[in-house]
């Protein structure tokens, strides 16, 4: 089965944070707080996916509560931070929500994402992901992490499924 038909099966998006939803840069304040920058267009697509009934989850090794607040403000309820073994969280999430691996599009950018990416229906990565991840990805976004990669993959799935702009006036496809 090719890439586009597989997009029809996707019900669930799972994202890493650093290097996927952010560009991987971390600004450190004088008092030791870590600051990250999120792309507003990625945010629009994430909240739209939630509103359209997709499962959206975050699995990250990062621990910043600022990240959690940003994602929860977008309507994402399944936010797993401080994750050591992403595969354990992934398997638990699928069992809890009765989701098959084939229904998942996972976006990762580095070695901690590797095992999960080998198991999902579609493994995707930003254009600037490390080589090992690019080699196993079925889709490499033309956008870098934190620069529209999340928007790109969500939009592709939703357009194939006819859900991207179905309630927007004035769109012509």
């Amino acid at each position: 089965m090719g890439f586009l038909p597989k997009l029809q099966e996707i019900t669930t998006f799972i994202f890493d944070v650093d290097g996927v939803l952010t560009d991987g840069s971390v600004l450190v304040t004088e008092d030791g707080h870590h600051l990250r920058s999120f792309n507003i267009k990625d945010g629009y697509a994430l909240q739209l996916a939630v509103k359209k009934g997709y499962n959206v989850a975050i699995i990250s090794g990062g621990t910043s509560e600022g990240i959690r607040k940003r994602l929860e403000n977008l309507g994402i309820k399944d936010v797993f931070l401080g994750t050591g073994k992403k595969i354990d969280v992934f398997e638990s999430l699928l069992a809890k929500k009765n989701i098959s691996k084939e229904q998942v599009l996972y976006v990762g950018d580095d070695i901690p994402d590797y095992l999960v990416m080998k198991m999902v229906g579609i493994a995707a990565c930003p254009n600037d992901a490390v080589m090992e991840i690019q080699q196993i990805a079925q889709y490499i976004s033309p956008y870098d992490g934190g620069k529209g990669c999340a928007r790109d993959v969500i939009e592709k799935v939703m357009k194939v499924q006819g859900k991207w702009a179905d309630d927007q006036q004035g769109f012509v496809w």
Side-chain angles (χ1 to χ4, degrees):
M1 179 185 295
F3 173 71
L4 286 177
K6 281 180 147 184
L7 295 180
Q8 285 288 352
E9 307 301 316
I10 299 302
T11 64
T12 303
F13 296 100
I14 302 177
F15 295 91
D16 177 33
V17 174
D18 291 322
V20 173
L21 296 180
T22 75
D23 68 4
S25 298
V26 177
L27 298 174
V28 182
T29 66
E30 290 293 324
D31 58 358
H33 288 94
H34 293 186
L35 305 176
R36 294 165 177 88
S37 174
F38 288 85
N39 182 293
I40 202 75
K41 291 180 183 102
D42 285 345
Y44 173 79
L46 287 162
Q47 64 82 33
L48 183 62
V50 170
K51 286 179 182 174
K52 295 287 184 168
Y54 291 90
N55 297 303
V56 179
I58 306 301
I59 304 176
S60 175
T63 58
S64 169
E65 284 305 307
I67 291 171
R68 181 183 310 282
K69 287 178 186 172
R70 165 69 178 149
L71 297 169
E72 288 177 350
N73 284 340
L74 295 174
I76 301 170
K77 295 186 181 5
D78 294 312
V79 179
F80 304 95
L81 302 179
T83 303
K85 289 181 70 179
K86 291 184 178 191
I87 194 77
D88 293 343
V89 173
F90 170 74
E91 290 175 341
S92 174
L93 178 68
L94 266 56
K96 177 182 162 192
K97 297 214 173 231
N98 196 28
I99 301 166
S100 76
K101 294 173 187 172
E102 294 76 26
Q103 295 173 301
V104 176
L105 186 151
Y106 183 97
V107 186
D109 72 308
D110 210 340
I111 300 304
D113 303 304
Y114 188 91
L115 289 178
V116 176
M117 291 178 72
K118 293 288 283 181
M119 298 183 71
V120 296
I122 298 177
C125 69
N127 188 52
D128 59 346
V130 299
M131 189 55 61
E132 294 88 345
I133 295 301
Q134 289 189 24
Q135 288 171 344
I136 63 167
Q138 288 118 320
Y139 177 71
I140 300 173
S141 173
Y143 300 95
D144 287 350
K147 305 290 183 190
C149 171
R151 163 78 175 244
D152 177 45
V153 297
I154 291 170
E155 187 174 334
K156 277 190 179 14
V157 169
M158 291 178 75
K159 281 183 175 178
V160 164
Q161 295 181 4
K163 296 179 181 178
W164 178 250
D166 61 345
D167 60 356
Q168 303 294 319
Q169 298 299 317
F171 280 104
V172 179
W173 302 105

